[in-house]
Amino acid sequence: MMQPHTPKNRLTQAIALALGLSLSSAWAANEIKDINVDLLPDGSTQIRFVMAEPMQAAPSNFVIEEPARIAVDFPDTRFDTANKLRTIDIGNVHDLRFAESQGRARAIISLGQSTPYEISVDGNNVLLAIQNTNTASTLPAATGTPQSSDDSATNATAQTKPAVAAAPQVDFRQGVKGEGRILVNMPSANAPMTMKTEGKRLIVDFPSTRLKEEKYDVSDFATPAQIVTVENKGQGSRLIVDNNAAFENMAYQVGNQLTLEIRPVPAPNANQNNPLAPKTFTGERLTLKFQNIEVRPLLQLLADFTNQNIVVSDTVTGQMSLRLDNVPWDQALDLILTTRGLAMRQNGNVMFIAPVEEIAAQEKARLDLIRQNETLAPLVSDFIQINYARAQDIAKLLRPSGATGGNVGALGGAPSTSASNNGFLSPRGTITIDERTNTLLINDIADNLQRIRDLVKKLDSPVKQVLIETRIVIATDNFSRELGVKWGITGVNTGSNGTVVYSGSGAGTNQMLSNIVGGSVTGNMIPGSAPGFPSNPSNRYNINLPILSNPMGTLGLSILGSNVLVDMEISAMQAEGQGEIISSPRVLTANGQAAYIKQGKEIPYQEASSSGATTTSFKEAVLQTIVTPQITPNNNVIMDIKVQKDEPDWTRRVNDVPPLDKREVNTKVQVNNGETVVLGGIYEISNINQLDKIPFLGDLPWIGRALFSKTFKKSQKFELLIFVTPRIVENGMMTEVQNVQ
């Protein structure tokens, strides 16, 4: 017996549904007869849908951001062509495919990246103009009245002016499958946006849309989203969604309403990843009590109870007895499969059950078919234009060094083979590089080409650049003061005991004695007989304590008396100075690329060799910055940086070769975008107080300091600071990005 469910008959429902679909398709009022694709003069791609009957209004349409898609719904319309997939590869358009359901035809256009588009009706033609990526600023936004998709109910007339708009509203809703939906009213149908994930956080930037700054707590909705934060960023806004678990995200826009959908990531089946891990069962509980029941009817009962689609292989046979009381239905199914040696494979919403050997044989046959397809499928050639990277670098990633089964070569040259793994090409795939046009020519099976195109699209992206500005500031503050004195007494005295001559030096007394002995001066020296005194004043100074520097001011005094001459000279100097030298080298480099900039001179000097010959060598005295930046995901900048400033000191040169004053810092630092950091600094203070005096006399009160000593005082301050400011440059413009912690 089985409790508490009554089996349902789904056959009637399936027949009715199939009949309804066929009838709705048969009674479709319009048809798409043909499709034409043209490249317009402005660079945009125009897709023209030729209808059997004119349409009264533009069909509803919406956009999917990732992957980039445009969906156009034709109501009461069917597709009158057998080929429902067309490869276009014109401009920004890759391919076009059709799907029909309940009388409605949907055209899905795959794009290289999201760009503005315009849809209009011209008689029996529906015109869809899709702008190319390099002319995205010239085409108006989508017109018409785009309507919502199956799971959205927003109608909005598209705008044609993507300017900064007034603050739209942000709304949050819960989906039927536990997903969270954030609805943002955009100023136009194709307002630019970028979306990225960081761990459990979703970050959406709107560079030209201004949103009202708010913070929403949405944890009560039982979705992965917990906190939704809207903040301003430059001229636009940033929307941050903090989630409590791993998530999957999708964005699509219908008219002016952008929908951000956040879905929980399904938990992996522990039995598939690790057979030894404990199994968890969450199905509805049931009770099974059977004696010798056939396995096939038992599986049919489980299918009826759980409303699951189950297909049982004809090789499943046998009977079993079981008694299960109030157990989850998925646990009961697992027990039945394990007991009878069966295995299950899920294909969409259908479970296929067969013996383990049969499942293994099918898997092996499927793998053999894939390998056979790679071996026998025709090779297709495709050109891929590389825009930002070097074609050689992309080719090395697609076919790494040492890969087997494929070739990488230059255009016109022999390809080179390798030996380790297949890379991203099939064993028969080859890559040829045209360095002149920076293009890859890939020859591989068709299934592999689209995968390679998607990979190249992600790899071939513009690299951010960093402008590093370094400022080296040298500040000095000098003060010095000197006081000096020179004085002396010169005279002659003739008495009964002889003549006494005194002066400041032996040379002075010698000159005076020579004058007396020579008879040029006789008797007492009286005022006016100046020739009797030494002509050089320095020979007359008894105390000689002058200042060392050039005096800024002097005062001389001479007193001539009877046979006596008194000389005095007082000198003084005071100097004050402040200086500031600022050097500011700047260098712009790509993320992760080393760069340096330097300016200076080379100083020649001679060296003698062992043979006796002399050679001239040069030594650099430069100002330079060497830096390797690395941009983090939250727009900080990590820098390996070396700043050096060397200056020759010609005042201390030896053999006309000056020594170098070196100032250098070598470090690794992380800085926020646009912020300034001090890498290092040196601060020096020098104070000198000097007193020169004559012993004993210089210690006399008052007159000792004035007549028998000189003073020297010097104070010097030196400060060196090195500042660094990194700024991230994107698309030739500085970015002011708020950091995400």
Side-chain angles (χ1 to χ4, degrees):
M1 62 178 298
M2 183 169 72
Q3 300 173 355
H5 183 70
T6 302
K8 296 179 180 178
N9 188 353
R10 289 198 183 88
L11 181 60
T12 304
Q13 298 176 0
I15 295 175
L17 178 59
L19 182 61
L21 289 176
S22 61
L23 289 176
S24 62
S25 177
W27 288 96
N30 208 342
E31 292 183 4
I32 300 176
K33 291 292 188 181
D34 195 8
I35 299 173
N36 297 319
V37 182
D38 300 310
L39 186 63
L40 299 182
D42 62 355
S44 59
T45 304
Q46 178 180 274
I47 302 177
R48 180 160 55 94
F49 301 93
V50 181
M51 312 297 296
E53 300 292 338
M55 296 193 66
Q56 301 300 323
S60 61
N61 55 88
F62 62 93
V63 176
I64 299 176
E65 292 290 339
E66 185 63 35
R69 300 286 188 268
I70 298 176
V72 182
D73 287 339
F74 297 86
D76 297 329
T77 303
R78 67 185 183 89
F79 188 58
D80 193 26
T81 304
N83 186 10
K84 295 189 176 182
L85 172 63
R86 288 195 178 186
T87 301
I88 298 176
D89 281 338
I90 297 178
N92 191 32
V93 181
H94 285 174
D95 55 54
L96 170 66
R97 65 190 66 196
F98 270 92
E100 294 184 53
S101 175
Q102 299 181 358
R104 177 183 61 180
R106 170 172 291 182
I108 302 173
I109 300 95
S110 301
L111 307 177
Q113 66 183 63
S114 295
T115 53
Y117 65 93
E118 186 180 62
I119 188 167
S120 59
V121 177
D122 183 12
N124 285 30
N125 297 323
V126 176
L127 306 178
L128 176 63
I130 303 172
Q131 189 166 351
N132 201 354
T133 54
N134 56 3
T135 58
S137 59
T138 60
L139 192 67
T143 58
T145 309
Q147 298 181 2
S148 64
S149 61
D150 296 339
D151 52 0
S152 178
T154 302
N155 282 331
T157 302
Q159 305 296 324
T160 61
K161 187 177 180 181
V164 176
Q169 297 297 320
V170 178
D171 194 11
F172 187 88
R173 297 177 184 176
Q174 181 188 25
V176 295
K177 298 182 179 180
E179 69 273 17
R181 292 177 182 171
I182 303 172
L183 309 179
V184 183
N185 292 327
M186 304 295 289
S188 66
N190 294 280
M193 60 158 286
T194 59
M195 184 167 56
K196 63 180 180 179
T197 59
E198 293 181 358
K200 297 181 181 179
R201 172 176 287 185
L202 175 66
I203 301 174
V204 186
D205 286 326
F206 305 95
S208 62
T209 303
R210 199 69 162 180
L211 302 176
K212 183 180 179 182
E213 288 190 323
E214 292 286 352
K215 190 171 185 179
Y216 308 94
D217 185 351
V218 296
S219 56
D220 294 339
F221 285 85
T223 69
Q226 300 295 299
I227 302 294
V228 179
T229 305
V230 182
E231 57 188 29
N232 293 333
K233 184 179 78 70
Q235 296 297 319
S237 300
R238 164 171 285 184
L239 188 145
I240 303 173
V241 184
D242 291 297
N243 302 280
N244 62 354
F247 64 94
E248 297 175 346
N249 60 280
M250 182 180 68
Y252 56 88
Q253 186 168 345
V254 179
N256 286 25
Q257 186 175 79
L258 172 67
T259 301
L260 304 173
E261 194 168 284
I262 300 174
R263 302 182 298 272
V265 176
N269 191 333
N271 190 31
Q272 293 179 355
N273 296 333
N274 183 8
L276 300 179
K279 301 177 181 179
T280 57
F281 304 100
T282 59
E284 185 179 353
R285 295 181 176 273
L286 51 76
T287 297
L288 296 174
K289 297 179 181 179
F290 293 103
Q291 184 71 27
N292 294 330
I293 184 174
E294 296 286 340
V295 175
R296 297 175 64 87
L298 179 59
L299 294 175
Q300 183 61 43
L301 288 175
L302 283 176
D304 292 338
F305 175 80
T306 60
N307 293 329
Q308 297 288 326
N309 298 319
I310 296 180
V311 176
V312 182
S313 172
D314 293 339
T315 57
V316 176
T317 58
Q319 298 178 343
M320 64 181 305
S321 300
L322 72 162
R323 178 183 178 184
L324 301 175
D325 190 5
N326 196 28
V327 297
W329 71 265
D330 48 354
Q331 184 179 7
L333 177 61
D334 182 73
L335 291 172
I336 296 172
L337 298 180
T338 303
T339 303
R340 299 301 303 172
L342 305 176
M344 182 266 293
R345 288 294 180 267
Q346 187 86 25
N347 186 3
N349 62 347
V350 177
M351 289 188 297
F352 175 69
I353 297 176
V356 174
E357 296 80 4
E358 183 177 341
I359 294 289
Q362 291 181 356
E363 293 290 339
K364 183 178 182 300
R366 186 177 65 86
L367 294 176
D368 292 341
L369 182 61
I370 294 175
R371 295 191 185 97
Q372 184 179 9
N373 181 52
E374 291 181 351
T375 304
L376 302 178
L379 296 178
V380 181
S381 297
D382 194 4
F383 289 92
I384 300 181
Q385 177 68 48
I386 307 300
N387 299 316
Y388 302 102
R390 296 172 67 244
Q392 297 91 327
D393 297 336
I394 299 296
K396 289 179 182 178
L397 295 175
L398 296 177
R399 172 67 64 193
S401 176
T404 61
N407 299 323
V408 179
L411 192 61
S416 59
T417 58
S418 55
S420 145
N421 56 68
N422 291 333
F424 293 94
L425 297 178
S426 69
R428 300 162 58 207
T430 61
I431 299 180
T432 305
I433 304 169
D434 183 8
E435 298 183 0
R436 183 179 61 86
T437 60
N438 204 38
T439 303
L440 295 179
L441 172 59
I442 301 180
N443 193 33
D444 208 341
I445 61 177
D447 292 343
N448 231 18
L449 285 178
Q450 185 58 43
R451 184 180 66 160
I452 293 175
R453 270 194 169 275
D454 295 339
L455 180 62
V456 171
K457 176 184 174 182
K458 294 181 179 179
L459 295 175
D460 185 27
S461 60
V463 179
K464 294 182 180 180
Q465 302 179 95
V466 183
L467 175 65
I468 295 100
E469 178 181 358
T470 306
R471 291 184 296 278
I472 305 172
V473 181
I474 301 175
T476 58
D477 189 353
N478 300 320
F479 173 82
S480 63
R481 175 187 294 168
E482 290 186 70
L483 291 175
V485 62
K486 295 189 293 184
W487 64 276
I489 300 175
T490 304
V492 61
N493 185 16
T494 303
S496 58
N497 294 328
T499 300
V500 178
V501 178
Y502 48 91
S503 184
S505 65
T509 57
N510 183 50
Q511 182 180 354
M512 293 172 63
L513 288 174
S514 298
N515 291 337
I516 295 174
V517 174
S520 61
V521 179
T522 59
N524 294 337
M525 300 184 68
I526 59 175
S529 58
F533 293 110
S535 59
N536 189 354
S538 61
N539 291 330
R540 303 198 299 264
Y541 291 141
N542 303 106
I543 305 299
N544 192 4
L545 295 171
I547 65 175
L548 299 177
S549 306
N550 294 327
M552 298 293 103
T554 59
L555 175 63
L557 177 65
S558 296
I559 301 174
L560 182 61
S562 176
N563 302 326
V564 176
L565 177 62
V566 179
D567 297 290
M568 177 175 287
E569 179 182 316
I570 300 175
S571 57
M573 188 277 295
Q574 179 171 318
E576 297 181 14
Q578 290 182 343
E580 187 175 86
I581 301 174
I582 300 178
S583 306
S584 182
R586 298 183 182 182
V587 62
L588 178 68
T589 182
N591 181 30
Q593 298 296 317
Y596 78 93
I597 182 173
K598 68 178 179 178
Q599 176 192 10
K601 60 185 68 175
E602 290 187 341
I603 301 172
Y605 63 94
Q606 291 185 344
E607 289 181 326
S609 62
S610 58
S611 62
T614 59
T615 59
T616 301
S617 301
F618 293 87
K619 192 169 186 179
E620 289 187 340
V622 297
L623 164 67
Q624 70 174 353
T625 298
I626 304 174
V627 62
T628 303
Q630 176 187 346
I631 302 175
T632 64
N634 58 348
N635 277 338
N636 288 348
V637 181
I638 299 175
M639 294 180 292
D640 286 310
I641 186 168
K642 177 182 179 181
V643 181
Q644 179 180 348
K645 181 176 175 63
D646 299 340
E647 290 182 345
D649 188 355
W650 293 99
T651 63
R652 295 184 290 127
R653 62 181 178 269
V654 179
N655 297 329
D656 289 333
V657 179
L660 296 181
D661 293 335
K662 299 182 70 68
R663 304 173 183 93
E664 180 179 323
V665 61
N666 192 352
T667 185
K668 185 173 184 177
V669 64
Q670 177 174 331
V671 188
N672 294 336
N673 177 29
E675 293 187 0
T676 301
V677 64
V678 181
L679 290 186
I682 300 174
Y683 189 67
E684 296 180 358
I685 299 178
S686 175
N687 290 319
I688 300 175
N689 290 314
Q690 182 175 329
L691 175 64
D692 297 335
K693 63 182 179 179
I694 297 176
F696 180 70
L697 296 178
D699 296 329
L700 295 176
W702 301 104
I703 63 173
R705 294 293 299 270
L707 299 178
F708 301 104
S709 66
K710 75 171 183 178
T711 59
F712 173 76
K713 181 179 182 181
K714 184 177 182 180
S715 177
Q716 185 175 12
K717 297 179 181 179
F718 174 86
E719 188 171 9
L720 170 66
L721 294 175
I722 300 176
F723 303 88
V724 173
T725 305
R727 291 183 173 89
I728 298 176
V729 180
E730 290 187 87
N731 299 324
M733 300 182 63
M734 299 288 184
T735 59
E736 298 295 338
V737 181
Q738 298 180 2
N739 296 294
V740 181
Q741 302 300 328

